[in-house]
């Protein structure tokens, strides 16, 4: 498990690089409309021993509404569209990389807003495996149970 007391962004980068995590996150995103930064935030909360509350989820939904649909999703769509264009014309690759960098920066800023939500949490406590499972289950729909379990296993 990545360092629980690390700030969220370094924690997320470390967690996402673990074997199986990126694949499970993308399966949750593409198959169930999951928000990958929220999933990583839930894992970060669990690593700090924090079970997400309804208040946490409401505050996270507000942060997501500010970033996901108006900023991150259009950048993701543009990056994906440019991938095909870059294959046909290598000169387009520079634009795709610039859009990719903008998408990553937008996600970093979104994740910074999620990290601020932890300011009201109790002091970190040792993580429990059930906390991670509970947080992921609260962030994914019930029909995503197999993906939830894959992600739990990869992050544990």
């Amino acid at each position: 498990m990545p360092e629980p007391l690390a700030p969220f962004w370094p924690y997320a980068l470390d967690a996402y690089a673990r074997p199986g995590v990126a694949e499970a996150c993308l399966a949750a995103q593409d198959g169930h409309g999951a928000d990958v930064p929220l999933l990583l935030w839930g894992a970060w909360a669990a690593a700090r021993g924090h079970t997400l509350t309804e208040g946490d989820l409401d505050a996270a939904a507000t942060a997501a509404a500010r970033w996901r649909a108006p900023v991150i999703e259009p950048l993701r769509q543009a990056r994906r569209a440019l991938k095909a264009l870059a294959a046909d014309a290598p000169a387009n690759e520079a634009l795709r990389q610039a859009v990719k960098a903008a998408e990553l920066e937008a996600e970093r800023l979104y994740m910074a807003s999620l990290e601020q939500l932890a300011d009201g949490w109790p002091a970190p406590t040792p993580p429990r495996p059930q906390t991670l499972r509970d947080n992921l289950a609260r962030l994914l729909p019930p029909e995503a149970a197999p993906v939830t379990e894959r992600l739990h296993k990869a992050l544990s």
Side-chain angles (χ1 to χ4, degrees):
M1 172 86 53
E3 174 60 39
L5 297 180
F8 180 35
W9 179 251
Y11 172 91
L13 292 175
D14 184 38
Y16 197 78
R18 294 174 58 107
V21 173
E23 295 81 4
C25 284
L26 294 176
Q29 175 182 279
D30 295 341
H32 302 283
D35 183 332
V36 172
L38 277 181
L39 295 176
L40 295 171
W41 176 72
W44 179 68
R48 297 168 57 93
H50 182 72
T51 300
L52 297 175
T53 66
E54 285 301 317
D56 294 331
L57 296 173
D58 290 345
T62 298
R66 290 184 182 135
W67 284 101
R68 191 172 172 193
V71 179
I72 295 169
E73 288 175 1
L75 288 168
R76 182 176 300 131
Q77 284 182 312
R79 175 182 50 81
R80 288 178 174 173
L82 285 165
K83 186 173 185 176
L85 293 174
D88 294 338
N92 295 335
E93 181 61 20
L95 177 58
R96 188 179 86 79
Q97 290 300 323
V99 171
K100 183 178 178 180
E103 179 187 4
L104 187 63
E105 180 62 7
E107 285 192 338
R108 187 190 68 74
L109 292 170
Y110 167 38
M111 292 166 87
S113 70
L114 290 172
E115 180 176 10
Q116 290 177 342
L117 301 178
D119 290 346
W121 294 350
T125 61
R128 294 178 305 122
Q130 188 60 42
T131 303
L132 175 59
R133 182 173 273 112
D134 291 346
N135 285 356
L136 293 174
R138 298 195 81 191
L139 293 165
L140 288 165
E143 62 271 13
V147 175
T148 303
E149 193 53 37
R150 278 180 41 208
L151 188 53
H152 179 266
K153 185 176 181 180
L155 286 166
S156 294

